[in-house]
Amino acid sequence: RVWWYELTRGKMAEGARTHWIADVSADEGMTKPAAVLAELRRYGAQQADGETPREPAAIEHGDDLRPMDPAWPLLAELVPDGEQTTAMRRALGVPEQGPLNVIVLFVESLRAFELDDARLGPAVYPQLSKIFAEQAIYFTQAYSSSLAAGETVRGEFSTLCGMMPNVLGPATYIANATISVHCTQELMRRTGHRTLWMSSYYSTFHSKRSFEMLHCTELFFDHDYFTARGITAKVGNWGLADGPVLQEAVNVLEEHASSGAPVFSNITTISTHHPHTVVPEGPLPDWLLTETADRPSYQGYLSRLRYADTAVSAFLTRLFTGPMRENTVVVVLGDHSITEKPLGDVSPVQRIEAQFRIPIALVSAHAKAAVYRHPVHQADVAPTLARLVGASGPVAWTGRGLLGETGTPWIYETRTALHYRTRERACYTLRANERPTCFDVRAHDPLHTGNLETVPEVPADTAFFHRDLVANLNALSLNQIAPRLAASMAVARPTSEPHAGVSAATRGTGAAQ
């Protein structure tokens, strides 16, 4: 594809009208796809006229980005804003100065519908619901655009690198592991963090290890490592059970944090991966078993979520009662949602929403509990974490941050449908190949509201969001986001000796560090 693009200088050869060639044609205006993505980062940055401000007030903005090179329109220098970082840390109840440990916990197939539902939430998430209510900044309208092959690595890329997950093309981790992007792992390395990756499955699956190593992850702890630590229990067909793995993960985190450098780790759970069956570790109340008796797959999904509630809550509780208690922030979120039909009568819009809505929570020991109801996206996580730790350096994200006036618009597209959501309106293709139907969502959450007021489609918006996804595809496929990887990865390694356990982690996967 790169060869074709360079050969034709971005213009389509006469008669060669395959789908991807059309995508890079001059007719689509894709000779500089990063410039289109830069427009997405600026879209709707100001609050709509007449809209009631949400509570609490915004404490994150994008004024800390400085353009670096006109040839790379998405590339910017992140310049630390002390006041912004201080405000964010105060909200999370962590020290206003000094290093922070940051953990991103991806919970497999965790979606928002069940967690936020008045009946299902207390039954399926009795412990997480309490933790989020008491010590988290919780986002009730958070989106993922990852609903295709390689969903988990799509969600991880979107979250850690602050971009759309190549909705129209293959997962970036798998197809474009050497892509020149500046992800959270790199920014954390620049601030002196040790960067860790953990999962009970294999680090080589879907090229995770390759992508992570090339983007500044140092240490890997996977199935072989946890097995060597004596963990053999499984819940489901994939990997080791989340409960004991997450408990051992606390040991790893505390061990590396005690070396003096702060820790950044992304951790992925596995026990809620499909296929879903009811498990003894995830007991459901009798009334819920009765109501889902004719839907064994959904019943199994709820049972696995109930197990995840126990495993994740135990992880958070231990972490926030141990030596890392005072200076640690955990982002808990779904890696992606799932297509299972929710319980009860739901509208077509609610069905679509459920497939893309995930919980996102910033959790700490002393957070000032708050609920944010404006729409945000996985791509907004990376900017928030960078500002929280006071990072500096080159960035190329399209995300804006979770705590700003407005998050990144949600967009998803197939060959026959386009859906998108801004703060004011949500538009969905309700029948294949038809124009999107749009609704006013300024005062309603479309996931939990059956009847929404329709509003006219804005064709310019529809075209804009389609164009963004085409630009995302081309910028990733043609490696046009930032300068060459080798130059951008020149990050100094910590001067201290590797901590005990590094060799064990390396040997566990049979690959070099």
Side-chain angles (χ1 to χ4, degrees), residues 164-176:
M164 288 292 165
N166 201 6
V167 173
L168 297 177
T172 305
Y173 270 56
I174 302 171
N176 308 102

Side-chain angles (χ1 to χ4, degrees), residues 54-64 81-93 137 139 362 368 370 372 374 383-384 387-388 400-406:
R54 69 173 183 351
E55 295 293 340
I59 57 176
E60 184 175 10
H61 53 76
D63 298 339
D64 48 5
D81 182 327
E83 292 184 2
Q84 183 173 225
T85 295
T86 297
M88 297 171 74
R89 291 189 176 205
R90 284 176 180 169
L92 284 164
I137 297 176
F139 300 86
L362 305 179
K368 298 177 182 178
Y372 281 62
H374 70 292
T384 295
R387 290 163 179 148
L388 181 65
R400 285 197 288 268
L402 298 168
L403 299 167
E405 288 291 344
T406 180

